[in-house]
Amino acid sequence: MIDKTFSPPSEEVRTKLLARSGQCERLVRESDRRTITGVSRTQWWTLERKRVAPAGLKLGCNSVAWRLSDLLAWIEQQGA
């Protein structure tokens, strides 16, 4: 994996990524995040702390989710 700081995509890029994937913007919970990225929970936590992966949005005391477009942008960034 490339250690490049993740920065959230612009609205235009989000729209293009979602259109390319054929999906709508949604919040993704941990199990789906793991399936989409192929990265374990522990490794993802490490990447978030290094700021090279999108941080989750805190929904409540024990709830976190990620924007699908952020995950798609991160995956695309890994291939670059």
Side-chain angles (χ1 to χ4, degrees):
M1 278 187 207
I2 302 167
D3 280 352
K4 184 177 178 186
T5 302
F6 177 79
S7 57
S10 66
E11 287 302 316
E12 182 180 331
V13 172
R14 284 182 197 280
T15 303
K16 287 179 183 178
L17 287 168
L18 292 167
R20 203 176 321 148
S21 71
Q23 299 189 51
C24 298
E25 181 71 284
R26 64 185 172 96
L27 293 178
V28 176
R29 300 300 293 267
E30 173 60 30
S31 60
D32 289 335
R33 191 233 19 103
R34 196 173 330 129
T35 301
I36 292 166
T37 63
V39 178
S40 72
R41 180 182 291 192
T42 304
Q43 183 64 27
W44 191 263
W45 182 85
T46 302
L47 294 173
E48 280 186 358
R49 296 307 165 268
K50 290 180 177 180
R51 298 178 188 261
V52 297
L57 304 169
K58 193 162 176 94
L59 303 178
C61 293
N62 296 315
S63 294
V64 177
W66 293 262
R67 286 185 182 94
L68 177 59
S69 58
D70 284 347
L71 298 178
L72 295 174
W74 181 80
I75 291 168
E76 191 170 272
Q77 186 182 58
Q78 299 311 296

